[in-house]
Amino acid sequence: MATGSFEFGLSATALNAWAIWILPFVAAVIIPGVAKFSKRATGGVAVAFALASAISATTLLPLALGNNEIHNQIPWISSIGLKAGILADPLAALMSNVVAWVSFLIFVYSTGYMKGDKDITRFWFWMAFFVGSMQLIVLSDNFLQLFFGWEGVGLASYALVGFWYRDKKKDHVGIEGRTVLGLVDYYSPTHSGIKAFIMTKVGDVMMLAGMFLIFAFAGTFGFRELIENTNWATTMSSQHLLIPAAVLLFGGAIGKSAQFPLNEWLLEAMTGPTAVSALIHAATMVKAGVFLVARLAPLFFALAAIGINMDQFFEVVAWVGAITAFLLATQGMVHPEIKKVLAYSTGSQIGYMMMALGIAGLSRQFVDGYTAGFFHLISHAMFKASLFMAAGSLLHIVGSRFMTDMGGLRRHMKKTYAFMWAAGLGLMGAPFITTGFWSKDAIFAAVYQSANTWALPIFVLALITAVMTTFYTTRMIGMVFFGNKSKHVEEMEKEGYHIHEASPSMWIPYGILAVLTIGIGVIGLAFEHQLHDIFTQYLASAFGIKSGIGNVAMESQSALGGFLEGVNPVALISSLSAFAIGFALGYIFYIGRFADPVKFVNSNIFFYAIHKFFLNRWYLNALIYWAFVVAPLYFARGIYRYFENFVMEGFNLVPEKTMMGGARIMQATQTGISQSYLYIFGAGILIVVLLLLI
């Protein structure tokens, strides 16, 4: 176990860890009350509490550096012996800081972006609730408590994705009137919020099943208890239930982190305010799934020590990540909406993280893949939050979500231009100066060195994805800032509107993250080594996972010497090549404008078909609607029309008509005329006599 303290009851140290997730919830509770006196003050309250939570999280960093932890529990459901607790180990300490500080900067940005919105109170309530739920996921010491936070981020995302519930056209995503397989590819905020809620619930149900399956054998939800006594795993493995339970838990991560095949909700989530998009994509929601896998992966990998093979689980994780990374990168290359391009990018980069965590469990060096995946999580949180907030500034100023309505903006928005380049270079993995380069290179190295059967195909997919990532990022910057002004911008200027830089409250937050992307990138190798050391100690002490040495690929690295000591040469060359190819293609078409991409696509039937295929999202979204929305509705309507209306209603009419017919017959016999009754009475006697005579 990691050194540190376990406490039952609250102490000052433990209270500080509890405060990290409680403070945002407190803010959410008091914001409606503050709004009664001043709506403008609600933003200040949210920012203040977010800062307090971030400062509390910072106090955990010495624990991570010293391989210490705080594990504190209090009574919760005493009838079944269940306790609520926080587990601030090195993993949670680092993740909590990423969530807290990125969220704080997004909150500051939101004070400018959402200024004047009449529903600002509702916005701040759900934003604070969102962050509190995410921190609850990070710091929980058991599955059940984590699941409360899990559902909390799902509820908040539903409320914020559909925030502009009046469904005005300007708040939709997609191109109005465009169809795919006969279905409209144009979505309102309310539709998108419901879609996000329902699709993530598919994963949540899987996760819940996996949780209770493990609880049925272990008798506990606690993470520490599960690793201390692994008899449950032995029993489940002998009954062939352990792998299914692990995959079911991963199903929750697939839903929350928008991985294939539950990835389609993430693209429509762009209907929310851009501040919400930044929060979902950088600090909360989609990172929840990655964190869950990071929390569980060492536990499942450590089971090898008692002879339980979990390779199938890690193969599923690695392949889902690799497929998602490739799938969404292809779509990011062709879409015209800037927020959608960034959304595709998020799902793709999350795929890289899953790929790294999956390949960690399939290699001899678990800590290498584990470190690479988490390093990319940190790196992505910085540059993607910066890119989304910068994109929000562009939408705020230009009044359009389409990159084709922009162009030539670098002269008018110089700060945003510079910061988008810095953050964009991080996403591209620009060599040696960005965090994205080092984290992505670490993933390449982990995959290449894993010596696993699937290493080569996954490595190839990762490399192709890196080329596409650099291309679509260069394309985005080129379409927005280079070339001539669009007709939309020219019309705005003719009407007297002056294109200008965003307010300081907006550009300073994404400027800070962009600078950090470059600043930490300059010392990226040292940062990676520090992170590697932290996780080496953590995994060894908490799970007994040793960082082995003597790997052939690792030994060959020393030939590089000096600055690049410890860098895999194959991974390095691959990273450099991917960046060079992707950037060159993007520069030719969108910055240098040496070739027209529209003419290029239309010049060849093959390129046109591929472009349409990617633009139509591989038809996956449309097929999901046909299979799970349109077809069930047709079936339900058919049942209503032909079975319920005809058969059921017809059956219900049989007793009614029978009784009515019988009543008419009885009514016919009741004439009220005495002669008729005597006639019938006499006829009846005659019939009886005849029967007796026979």
Side-chain angles (χ1 to χ4, degrees), residues 481-509:
F481 294 107
F482 288 84
N484 299 322
K485 295 178 182 178
S486 67
K487 291 181 180 179
H488 174 77
V489 172
E490 289 177 346
E491 289 174 2
M492 290 178 68
E493 291 181 330
K494 285 179 182 178
E495 294 172 2
Y497 185 82
H498 174 63
I499 303 295
H500 58 278
E501 187 59 80
S503 64
S505 64
M506 292 172 66
W507 66 257
I508 288 176

Side-chain angles (χ1 to χ4, degrees), residues 511-680:
I512 290 172
L513 291 170
V515 170
L516 284 174
T517 298
I518 302 297
I520 297 178
V522 172
I523 59 167
L525 196 57
F527 185 85
E528 181 190 344
H529 287 165
Q530 179 64 55
L531 201 61
H532 191 280
D533 290 342
I534 290 172
F535 284 130
T536 297
Q537 296 178 54
Y538 164 65
L539 294 170
S541 58
F543 301 94
I545 300 173
K546 304 296 182 181
S547 178
I549 56 175
N551 188 309
V552 176
M554 292 290 287
E555 288 175 349
S556 67
Q557 293 169 12
S558 60
L560 293 169
F563 173 67
L564 296 179
E565 183 79 31
V567 175
N568 183 278
V570 175
L572 177 62
I573 294 170
S574 299
S575 297
L576 296 173
S577 301
F579 175 80
I581 295 170
F583 186 80
L585 291 172
Y587 187 88
I588 290 170
F589 286 110
Y590 297 101
I591 295 181
R593 308 291 172 113
F594 299 117
D596 187 342
V598 176
K599 290 181 179 178
F600 178 79
V601 169
N602 292 331
S603 66
N604 185 291
I605 187 65
F606 174 76
F607 291 131
Y608 176 80
I610 290 293
H611 182 274
K612 185 177 180 180
F613 184 67
F614 291 163
L615 189 63
N616 289 340
R617 299 159 69 163
W618 290 47
Y619 297 96
L620 291 174
N621 186 61
L623 289 172
I624 287 172
Y625 271 90
W626 273 109
F628 297 103
V629 180
V630 179
L633 281 175
Y634 274 125
F635 182 68
R637 287 168 184 154
I639 289 177
Y640 173 75
R641 180 179 299 175
Y642 299 108
F643 182 73
E644 187 171 343
N645 271 354
F646 184 73
V647 178
M648 295 303 294
E649 289 297 326
F651 178 79
N652 290 336
L653 289 173
V654 170
E656 177 188 348
K657 297 296 183 182
T658 302
M659 294 301 294
M660 289 176 64
R664 290 192 188 97
I665 293 171
M666 292 301 295
Q667 287 175 353
T669 63
Q670 305 299 314
T671 63
I673 301 172
S674 57
Q675 290 89 339
S676 299
Y677 296 152
L678 288 171
Y679 174 77
I680 293 171

Side-chain angles (χ1 to χ4, degrees), residues 358-427:
I359 211 70
L362 298 172
S363 68
R364 291 172 286 176
Q365 296 283 344
F366 180 85
V367 69
D368 291 350
Y370 193 81
T371 301
F374 197 85
F375 185 18
H376 199 57
L377 183 152
I378 297 172
S379 175
H380 180 264
M382 292 188 294
F383 62 65
K384 187 52 63 67
S386 181
L387 285 169
F388 261 113
M389 288 189 281
S393 293
L394 293 169
L395 270 63
H396 201 71
I397 301 301
V398 177
S400 174
R401 63 184 182 272
F402 294 99
M403 294 184 289
T404 48
D405 287 336
M406 302 177 191
L409 297 181
R410 68 184 187 279
R411 293 183 293 274
H412 303 283
M413 302 180 71
K414 294 180 180 179
K415 294 184 181 68
T416 299
Y417 169 65
F419 294 141
M420 280 199 79
W421 259 123
L425 288 171
L427 175 56

Side-chain angles (χ1 to χ4, degrees), residues 203-395:
D204 294 354
V205 171
M206 293 174 67
M207 178 180 172
L208 201 61
M211 281 170 45
F212 281 103
L213 191 56
I214 289 178
F215 179 79
F217 286 87
T220 181
F221 290 111
F223 300 129
R224 282 286 177 254
E225 291 82 355
L226 289 173
I227 192 62
E228 287 170 357
N229 183 355
T230 56
N231 290 334
W232 60 274
T234 304
T235 306
M236 291 185 72
S237 180
S238 66
Q239 298 184 26
H240 305 290
L241 290 173
L242 185 56
I243 296 292
V247 172
L248 284 170
L249 287 170
F250 181 56
I254 289 174
K256 279 290 185 288
S257 291
Q259 297 295 282
F260 177 80
L262 299 178
N263 56 282
E264 293 300 331
W265 69 266
L266 190 63
L267 298 315
E268 274 65 75
M270 297 303 97
T271 54
T274 305
V276 173
S277 301
L279 196 65
I280 289 175
H281 289 251
T284 59
M285 192 69 169
V286 296
K287 295 290 170 57
V290 180
F291 178 79
L292 178 66
V293 176
R295 174 61 81 194
L296 297 177
L299 169 63
F300 292 140
F301 185 80
L303 295 178
I306 57 173
I308 298 176
N309 189 323
M310 295 294 290
D311 282 0
Q312 288 177 300
F313 165 73
F314 287 109
E315 285 174 359
V316 170
V317 175
W319 271 111
V320 166
I323 291 170
T324 307
F326 177 80
L327 175 73
L328 296 188
T330 61
Q331 299 172 50
M333 295 192 297
V334 297
H335 270 267
E337 296 175 65
I338 188 168
K339 286 176 67 177
K340 267 200 170 185
V341 171
L342 293 174
Y344 285 118
S345 172
T346 294
S348 180
Q349 298 303 302
I350 295 289
Y352 267 122
M353 299 170 208
M354 293 295 191
M355 183 197 310
L357 293 173
I359 211 70
L362 298 172
S363 68
R364 291 172 286 176
Q365 296 283 344
F366 180 85
V367 69
D368 291 350
Y370 193 81
T371 301
F374 197 85
F375 185 18
H376 199 57
L377 183 152
I378 297 172
S379 175
H380 180 264
M382 292 188 294
F383 62 65
K384 187 52 63 67
S386 181
L387 285 169
F388 261 113
M389 288 189 281
S393 293
L394 293 169
L395 270 63

